[in-house]
């Protein structure tokens, strides 16, 4: 099993559920996390090793897992993480990610804040968007930005940049094929099957989704993200074919069955609920200012001992889990 893992957590792609998996696995095995002083590594500035709590220059890498929000910068990550680390990330179709970002980052991105609606923004994005304004990276090619790729970039240079990116990240998961992604990640890491069980963290309770017309416009507006996603989507399914599509379907069915059993065993109502319906403050997810309502999980009454501990860890939101890991290490 691999115990040195670099996960680039991209925004609005399902990364919070992956971070829950990594947090539980690392905590249960006493692995050491590279943690930010607060909740992100100086984002949106590029990652620097000095942003890691407990990092000391000249001492060499002494962390096992890094998985919290950063703008990726390989040379600095390599100062923190061992040479044999496995690098992976997750991407999402910008046609649906853009709608989610508009809702979630409405207060943070001036381009979104000044537009009366998503349709108004998409009718004339350049009316609202000013490149370089703080917070506007959320409004265009957000995944490209999170990967630390250069912008602007001539169209002819995009394929070469993406090939280089794949040499760093041998596996990039797909939000739209989340369960298939978990199976391929488990295989790449050689972890036990149950270690990849997870609930859907950070889901929105008020999401109507993007219309087909909005999806087309969002892909065109986020053209670098669309190139990134299209390239990595093809790579993902090539890897899936090497794994074996029948075997993949079987493992996905198993994974979903376990998740249903765990949800019935752990969660009040068997699924996500609004934050105000969660009595335990430690399990209430962060609510973005001016953004959509984020759902979380309330535990079933009567859970005790090891069962309660397992359910609590699976339901614990990312910020509270980071605080828990922080207390354990420091």
């Amino acid at each position: 099993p691999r115990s040195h893992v670099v996960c680039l957590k991209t925004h609005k792609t399902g990364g919070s559920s992956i971070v829950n998996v990594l947090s539980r696995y690392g905590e249960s095995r006493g692995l050491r996390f590279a943690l930010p002083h607060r909740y992100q590594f100086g984002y949106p500035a590029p990652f620097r090793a000095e942003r890691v709590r407990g990092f000391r220059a000249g001492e060499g890498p002494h962390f096992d897992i890094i998985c919290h929000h950063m703008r990726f910068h390989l040379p600095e990550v390599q100062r923190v993480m061992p040479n044999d680390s496995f690098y992976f990330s997750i991407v999402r179709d910008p046609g649906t990610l853009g709608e989610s970002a508009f809702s979630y980052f409405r207060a943070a991105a001036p381009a979104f804040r000044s537009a009366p609606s998503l349709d108004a923004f998409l009718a004339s994005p350049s009316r609202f968007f000013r490149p370089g304004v703080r917070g506007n990276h959320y409004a265009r090619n957000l995944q490209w930005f999170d990967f630390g790729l250069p912008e602007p970039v001539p169209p002819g240079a995009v394929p070469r940049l993406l090939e280089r990116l794949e040499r760093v990240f041998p596996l990039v998961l797909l939000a739209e094929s989340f369960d298939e992604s978990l199976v391929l990640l488990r295989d790449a890491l050689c972890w036990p099957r149950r270690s990849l069980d997870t609930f859907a963290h950070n889901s929105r309770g008020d999401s109507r989704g993007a219309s087909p017309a909005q999806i087309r416009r969002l892909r065109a507006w986020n053209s670098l993200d669309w190139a990134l996603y299209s390239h990595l989507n093809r790579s993902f399914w090539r890897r899936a074919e090497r794994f074996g599509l029948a075997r993949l379907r079987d493992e996905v069915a198993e994974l979903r069955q376990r998740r249903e059993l765990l949800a019935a065993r752990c969660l009040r109502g068997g699924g996500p609920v609004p934050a105000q319906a969660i009595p335990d403050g430690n399990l209430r997810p962060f609510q973005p200012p001016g953004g959509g309502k984020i759902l979380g999980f309330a535990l079933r009454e009567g859970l005790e001992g090891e069962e309660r501990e397992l359910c609590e860890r699976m339901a614990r939101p990312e910020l509270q889990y980071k605080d828990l890991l922080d207390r354990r290490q420091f």
Side-chain angles (χ1 to χ4, degrees):
R2 287 178 175 270
S3 57
H4 297 151
V5 179
V6 174
C7 169
L8 173 62
K9 182 181 187 279
T10 49
H11 286 85
K12 310 314 299 167
T13 58
S16 296
S17 303
I18 302 289
V19 168
N20 181 267
V21 164
L22 297 174
S23 299
R24 289 185 354 251
Y25 183 89
E27 184 198 8
S28 69
R29 285 155 178 80
L31 302 181
R32 192 166 163 79
F33 286 81
L35 296 170
H37 287 274
R38 289 179 60 77
Y39 297 106
Q40 301 183 348
F41 292 107
Y43 188 89
F47 177 81
R48 285 194 298 112
E50 284 73 19
R51 299 275 187 187
V52 175
R53 192 166 177 202
F55 172 80
R56 292 177 188 82
E59 286 192 5
H62 57 292
F63 297 100
D64 301 303
I65 296 176
I66 187 167
C67 59
H68 292 85
H69 274 310
M70 68 168 95
R71 187 177 185 207
F72 190 70
H73 185 44
L74 179 61
E76 288 292 307
V77 173
Q78 288 172 325
R79 292 178 65 202
V80 172
M81 297 299 295
N83 290 336
D84 65 347
S85 296
F86 182 80
Y87 287 67
F88 79 96
S89 187
I90 182 167
V91 292
R92 180 180 176 186
D93 183 335
T96 57
L97 184 146
E99 184 273 333
S100 179
F102 186 85
S103 169
Y104 194 89
F105 296 118
R106 196 78 190 270
F112 288 159
R113 197 164 57 237
S114 56
S117 66
L118 178 59
D119 279 329
F121 177 80
L122 290 173
S124 181
S126 54
R127 234 183 95 202
F128 305 102
F129 181 83
R130 296 287 175 273
V133 172
R134 183 171 177 81
N136 270 355
H137 67 280
Y138 291 120
R140 191 175 199 187
N141 296 316
L142 176 55
Q143 296 172 98
W144 190 270
F145 183 88
D146 285 353
F147 274 99
L149 294 167
E151 194 180 356
V153 57
V158 169
R160 183 171 42 80
L161 282 169
L162 294 178
E163 283 166 19
R164 194 184 304 161
L165 185 74
E166 272 195 285
R167 289 199 288 274
V168 177
F169 292 91
L171 175 62
V172 178
L173 315 180
L174 301 180
E176 292 78 7
S177 302
F178 190 75
D179 292 342
E180 290 83 355
S181 294
L182 289 175
V183 170
L184 293 187
L185 178 62
R186 184 205 64 72
D187 180 64
L189 296 174
C190 298
W191 287 4
R193 291 191 185 196
R194 289 182 181 276
S195 63
L196 272 289
D197 291 338
T198 183
F199 298 140
H201 283 261
N202 237 23
S203 60
R204 272 164 61 204
D206 58 350
S207 175
R208 291 182 302 279
S211 70
Q214 287 174 332
I215 287 172
R216 284 194 300 274
R217 287 183 167 186
L218 283 163
R219 286 172 176 171
W221 172 244
N222 296 285
S223 57
L224 291 174
D225 269 11
W226 181 234
L228 174 80
Y229 177 81
S230 301
H231 180 95
L232 295 172
N233 185 306
R234 289 190 294 271
S235 300
F236 178 89
W237 288 108
R238 281 196 297 270
R239 188 181 186 110
E241 284 172 6
R242 290 196 301 272
F243 180 83
L245 294 179
R247 180 182 165 206
L248 184 61
R249 278 193 299 274
D250 289 346
E251 283 208 33
V252 164
E254 258 183 62
L255 179 76
R256 288 174 179 165
Q257 189 179 26
R258 285 200 309 273
R259 182 184 297 141
E260 280 179 29
L261 291 170
L262 283 163
R265 183 175 145 194
C266 290
L267 305 178
R268 193 187 302 170
V273 295
Q276 63 268 27
I278 302 171
D280 185 347
N282 286 323
L283 298 181
R284 257 180 241 134
F286 171 74
Q287 301 296 310
K293 298 286 181 276
I294 301 302
L295 303 179
F297 304 101
L299 296 187
R300 214 166 47 77
E301 287 168 20
L303 295 171
E304 291 179 5
E306 284 183 17
E307 185 174 50
R308 181 178 178 84
E309 198 172 309
L310 166 70
C311 295
E312 206 166 59
R313 275 160 170 66
M314 289 193 70
R316 182 172 277 123
E318 182 183 340
L319 303 190
Q320 288 94 316
Y321 217 136
K322 185 264 168 187
D323 289 340
L324 175 71
L325 295 172
D326 206 89
R327 286 195 299 275
R328 292 207 155 201
Q329 278 186 209
F330 298 102

